[in-house]
Amino acid sequence: MRYVVLDTETTGLEVREGHRIIEIGCVELIGRRLTGRHFHVYINPEREVDEGAMAVHGISNEFLADKPRFREVVDEFFEFIKGAELIIHNAAFDIGFINHEFARLKDRPQLGEVLDHCSVLDTLLMARERHPGQRNNLDALCKRYGVDNSGRDLHGALLDAEILADVYLAMTGGQTSLSLAGQNSDGEGGNGPQVSEIRRLPASRPRTPVIRASQAELELHAARLAAVAKSSGAPALWQQLEQADEGEAPILH
């Protein structure tokens, strides 16, 4: 399954008041791994950014003045998300704004709405189900699951998408630590679920070498297994299960 973790920044909170998208950030997950593919763009919204919104994301009208319009980036954006399951925190907000931008393009009726082309997983709804009565914004989830968000002084679509990817993997990955000393479910010392901080390693890091057994080592291994089978009267259980997969009846004691 291909997942795209998505976040947007906007000129304000209410799409009904004519607010527009000014930034889109997406990262791709396949097989629970970040692939390194991403989509990121700033957009000229053709209107002013509210002061309240600017205080949240720090994106000014002057910065956006020379950026492309949504219609100039929509094809690349659409190709990136098409067919994926979108992972979004508070999905109704972002999907509402994207649908509004699609609807403005009267010459692109094929765009329709996001759900015509993608499925959506809302991590806010997931977090509320798992942690009822607790704070479930992205910063709170980072603290709860030990995800590093130290670089998040202001909201930014690509950074938030990257952080949300780590949060989603932690939320859906079961046990995150074997440590006996950690934090409780609210990220404070106590007797709650133990977590250790998750830090993403750079994609450019040297890969761990895979050292394969030599032919001589494989022959010694086979001889040892044969000796074990002879002394016990039957092959090892895992060998019997392999034989069963190949159509032979296992010898169980």
Side-chain angles (χ1 to χ4, degrees):
M1 183 67 185
R2 178 173 179 265
Y3 297 91
V4 170
V5 188
L6 180 150
D7 187 57
T8 65
E9 300 298 338
T10 63
T11 60
L13 292 176
E14 290 292 339
V15 69
R16 292 172 296 181
E17 296 175 4
H19 285 293
R20 305 282 303 279
I21 293 174
I22 58 173
E23 185 186 8
I24 301 174
C26 303
V27 295
E28 182 183 63
L29 282 172
I30 295 180
R32 295 185 60 79
R33 291 181 181 272
L34 287 162
T35 66
R37 291 189 67 225
H38 70 276
F39 175 85
H40 181 230
V41 66
Y42 291 102
I43 298 168
N44 183 336
E46 303 175 274
R47 59 155 292 157
E48 297 290 298
V49 179
D50 277 6
E51 289 185 9
M54 196 181 304
V56 171
H57 50 59
I59 302 173
S60 68
N61 295 305
E62 293 74 20
F63 175 79
L64 297 171
D66 63 348
K67 301 302 182 286
R69 275 63 171 173
F70 185 82
R71 68 164 45 253
E72 297 172 52
V73 301
V74 65
D75 291 334
E76 186 180 358
F77 170 59
F78 180 73
E79 286 302 316
F80 193 88
I81 67 170
K82 184 174 65 175
E85 177 159 357
L86 304 182
I87 299 172
I88 307 174
H89 201 68
N90 191 16
F93 179 87
D94 300 86
I95 295 300
F97 269 90
I98 296 170
N99 284 340
H100 176 67
E101 296 289 352
F102 282 176
R104 288 174 58 90
L105 302 176
K106 304 300 184 184
D107 58 334
R108 310 280 184 90
Q110 70 275 15
L111 293 175
E113 295 188 347
V114 171
L115 288 177
D116 295 334
H117 312 283
C118 307
S119 55
V120 176
L121 186 155
D122 190 336
T123 51
L124 178 58
L125 297 182
M126 179 186 294
R128 285 173 175 169
E129 290 177 357
R130 296 186 178 202
H131 311 289
Q134 301 182 46
R135 292 181 298 114
N136 288 303
N137 60 37
L138 190 54
D139 286 333
L141 292 177
C142 286
K143 192 173 184 181
R144 186 172 302 142
Y145 286 98
V147 173
D148 178 26
N149 67 339
S150 56
R152 192 180 187 244
D153 295 327
L154 293 170
H155 289 225
L158 183 59
L159 176 60
D160 284 1
E162 292 173 341
I163 291 172
L164 181 58
D166 286 341
V167 168
Y168 167 76
L169 292 173
M171 287 177 68
T172 58
Q175 185 174 8
T176 60
S177 174
L178 297 177
S179 172
L180 297 178
Q183 300 170 316
N184 65 18
S185 62
D186 288 320
E188 300 173 358
N191 297 318
Q194 305 300 312
V195 299
S196 58
E197 186 173 289
I198 297 171
R199 292 182 181 272
R200 187 185 308 119
L201 297 175
S204 59
R205 73 188 187 281
R207 297 298 180 182
T208 303
V210 177
I211 302 174
R212 303 189 182 279
S214 67
Q215 184 60 39
E217 289 169 331
L218 291 172
E219 290 172 357
L220 287 171
H221 179 63
R224 179 59 181 166
L225 290 177
V228 170
K230 182 177 181 180
S231 63
S232 63
L237 179 58
W238 60 267
Q239 288 181 293
Q240 295 184 45
L241 294 175
E242 282 187 344
Q243 292 169 2
D245 287 339
E246 295 171 359
E248 300 180 24
I251 305 170
L252 302 177
H253 295 282

